[in-house]
Amino acid sequence: MSSATLLTPARATAAAGHVSRPAARTAERSYIRALVVLDTAVLIVAVLVAYVARFGDEPPTGSEIPYVLAAPGLVLAWLVSLKALRCYDDRVLGYGADEYRRVSSASLRLAGGIAIAGYVFDVGFSRGFLGISIAVGTLGLEAARFAARKRLHRARSRGSGWSRKVLVVGDTAHVLELVHTLRREPYAGYQVVGACIPDALLAPVPQRLGDVPVVGSFRGIPEAATAIGADTVAVTASGELTATRLRRLGWQLEGTGVDLVVAPALTDVAGPRIHTRPVAGLPLIHVEAPEFRGARKLVKGLVDRSAALFALALLLPMLAVIALAIKVDSRGPVLFRQTRVGQGGREFGVWKFRTMVVNADALLAELSARNETDGLMFKMRDDPRVTRIGRLLRKWSLDELPQLVNVLLGQMSLVGPRPPLPSEVARYDGDVARRLLVKPGMTGLWQVSGRSDLSWEDGIRLDLYYVENWSLAADLTILWKTFGAVLNSRGAY
């Protein structure tokens, strides 16, 4: 490959601004070692708590098992189980739910293995000691992993922290699309440091795709990865990357420490809906259809209404205080009812605490030129129509609490897309209209990802992702993240 089509290592390094592969591997190993230390500390505490809770200050008498020795053995066996279930695999650390699933699976399998061994060898291991250890240890491991991940995410968002250095390979348009996707969530840990494009697209001088340096063509991908210190090659769509060339690329990367990942054209589909099945030597990707009805939907509706009823009963004193504050602050009704569009395009009245002056709708036309969003919604950071108490309610999202009544009536869900106005729905195209396939929610991916700070396009993308991939587990995750978004007041105005 000529020097005209491939940046020199020094120039590529400077252009990409990357951390060398040894340095990146060192940061990765440091993070994994920290996890091991953290897990060990959590397990020691869990076992000590179980020992004190089960046996108290006095050692157990009349038992054939020396628990003073069995307790450290349990910690060691637990760490081995975590290692065996690949809970320290860098491919699952720092992003996604697989890390948490593996930790839970390792803990439960250990408990099951000990129980079976005790039955087979007729050893009377204390069920109370084991049960408390597993319960406290599993919760502690999950909490510790969550805290470690949040710290890693903050570091990655600042441009530091352990991340994968990615060389993107494909046609220009697909490379730019993949780069945009990876950079949209920097906390995922994929830092693009270079790109390889087809020979026909190479210029005689070093070139860039946006701010990504082009470091070579398809003829020298392994060499380009080495030159810029990449530890991952991400292949996206290209007519020149045939199955044979892709297979050979995998062979060329063997033993180099560089991972090969393939980014399919299929996007915004959650893992549980994707199944890979080999057919005639081809890894065919089967995508299950979204689920809009059935038993899981009935369970979701039951959970929504039960939780809304419980929350209303619990928050009744707070609701009364808020209502009194609104009445004292400005004239007008306490509640504000607005027509929104729900599942299937059916209109309903959504309830909120009033946060604006009574003639807010009449003043909207005068403020339309000051809209700060790029879509169909109107959002303004310093909206003069908002009352004093209204600003406080909006900051903490307390104005939306009356929507629990809408959830109780079955018009809304706790989690779902934002309920749109009829004027917005009238301008929906075919894709955006898919938001109406499920009930709107009090919170959702849009709210926990930045709310009004997001662009219209990103908000719609998140809503459509939820519509296509909803699950009860995802709902619980979003509800948990909602508390953090509210406390941080992200995008609340």
Side-chain angles (χ1 to χ4, degrees):
M1 184 176 298
S2 67
S3 59
T5 59
L6 176 64
L7 295 178
T8 65
R11 188 178 298 174
T13 299
H18 79 288
V19 179
S20 67
R21 191 185 306 171
R25 291 298 187 190
T26 299
E28 174 190 332
R29 287 193 293 267
S30 297
Y31 180 78
I32 294 175
R33 282 196 297 267
L35 277 185
V36 174
V37 172
L38 189 60
D39 289 348
T40 304
V42 167
L43 296 180
I44 291 174
V45 171
V47 171
L48 288 175
V49 169
Y51 186 90
V52 173
R54 177 63 180 85
F55 305 117
D57 297 332
E58 298 294 330
T61 59
S63 173
E64 58 188 17
I65 297 178
Y67 284 94
V68 174
L69 299 178
L74 178 59
V75 172
L76 181 60
W78 210 328
L79 290 173
V80 172
S81 181
L82 291 172
K83 177 66 175 178
L85 268 292
R86 301 173 65 186
C87 296
Y88 302 105
D89 189 339
D90 61 351
R91 294 174 179 84
V92 302
L93 294 179
Y95 189 75
D98 201 27
E99 178 181 1
Y100 301 120
R101 282 196 294 265
R102 292 191 186 189
V103 168
S104 297
S105 179
S107 302
L108 294 176
R109 290 190 184 194
L110 174 66
I114 293 175
I116 293 173
Y119 176 78
V120 171
F121 296 104
D122 194 22
V123 177
F125 201 83
S126 172
R127 287 174 292 182
F129 173 73
L130 179 62
I132 296 173
S133 296
I134 294 297
V136 175
T138 302
L139 291 176
L141 287 173
E142 300 285 14
R145 292 295 181 105
F146 178 80
R149 176 178 291 195
K150 286 301 178 183
R151 183 175 181 180
L152 177 63
H153 286 180
R154 287 193 293 270
R156 285 173 171 175
S157 297
R158 294 193 300 265
S160 59
W162 157 57
S163 294
R164 290 180 170 274
K165 311 302 174 183
V166 182
L167 172 66
V168 181
V169 178
D171 289 340
T172 301
H174 292 102
V175 165
L176 290 173
E177 182 178 359
L178 181 57
V179 170
H180 172 72
T181 301
L182 294 178
R183 288 181 174 176
R184 194 166 54 202
E185 298 182 352
Y187 55 84
Y190 286 87
Q191 180 183 350
V192 179
V193 294
C196 286
I197 58 178
D199 293 336
L201 300 177
L202 285 174
V205 295
Q207 60 193 112
R208 307 176 76 87
L209 298 178
D211 59 350
V212 178
V214 176
V215 294
S217 70
F218 294 171
R219 298 179 184 273
I221 296 173
E223 293 81 1
T226 300
I228 62 172
D231 53 29
T232 302
V233 172
V235 178
T236 185
S238 174
E240 294 188 23
L241 277 175
T242 62
T244 300
R245 295 187 71 171
L246 188 58
R247 184 169 64 250
R248 288 174 179 168
L249 175 60
W251 295 341
Q252 292 171 343
L253 294 177
E254 286 180 1
T256 64
V258 179
D259 292 331
L260 175 64
V261 298
V262 179
L266 185 68
T267 60
D268 286 337
V269 179
R273 289 179 53 209
I274 298 176
H275 303 279
T276 304
R277 298 169 187 160
V279 177
L282 296 175
L284 298 183
I285 298 176
H286 292 249
V287 183
E288 295 182 356
E291 187 173 351
F292 300 120
R293 59 179 60 87
R296 287 203 308 147
K297 274 291 184 181
L298 292 176
V299 172
K300 176 179 170 66
L302 179 62
V303 171
D304 282 338
R305 295 192 181 195
S306 300
L309 181 61
F310 176 77
L312 282 171
L314 184 66
L315 298 174
L316 192 58
M318 179 190 292
L319 299 178
V321 171
I322 294 175
L324 180 61
I326 294 173
K327 201 67 178 176
V328 172
D329 181 59
S330 62
R331 68 178 184 86
V334 169
L335 294 176
F336 173 70
R337 185 180 184 275
Q338 188 176 44
T339 300
R340 297 292 180 108
V341 180
Q343 185 178 18
R346 292 183 291 274
E347 294 186 355
F348 68 99
V350 66
W351 292 100
K352 302 176 87 174
F353 281 123
R354 181 176 60 84
T355 59
M356 292 186 174
V357 296
V358 291
N359 61 335
D361 289 339
L363 299 174
L364 179 60
E366 302 175 10
L367 301 171
S368 58
R370 299 167 65 181
N371 187 10
E372 296 179 11
T373 66
D374 56 354
L376 304 180
M377 295 185 298
F378 177 86
K379 284 290 182 179
M380 182 177 172
R381 226 170 257 279
D382 296 315
D383 196 326
R385 301 174 299 165
V386 180
T387 63
R388 289 174 300 176
I389 190 66
R391 295 190 186 280
L392 182 63
L393 295 178
R394 287 187 168 208
K395 179 179 180 180
W396 302 108
S397 298
L398 298 176
D399 59 315
E400 298 178 3
L401 289 179
Q403 292 177 24
L404 289 168
V405 176
N406 294 112
V407 177
L408 191 60
L409 295 175
Q411 299 165 332
M412 293 180 63
S413 176
L414 291 177
V415 180
R418 185 190 64 85
L421 293 165
S423 58
E424 297 173 15
V425 174
R427 290 180 283 174
Y428 278 1
D429 58 23
D431 292 342
V432 182
R434 289 185 64 82
R435 298 172 77 247
L436 305 179
L437 290 174
V438 300
K439 292 180 183 179
M442 290 184 62
T443 186
L445 280 176
W446 174 74
Q447 289 89 331
V448 302
S449 302
R451 290 192 276 184
S452 299
D453 289 338
L454 293 177
S455 66
W456 167 259
E457 180 183 351
D458 284 338
I460 290 299
R461 178 183 60 83
L462 291 171
D463 278 346
L464 292 181
Y465 181 87
Y466 176 82
V467 170
E468 299 280 344
N469 304 288
W470 75 271
S471 69
L472 293 175
D475 283 2
L476 292 175
T477 302
I478 292 171
L479 287 172
W480 171 258
K481 290 183 176 181
T482 298
F483 292 106
V486 170
L487 291 176
N488 293 328
S489 301
R490 292 197 304 266
Y493 54 86

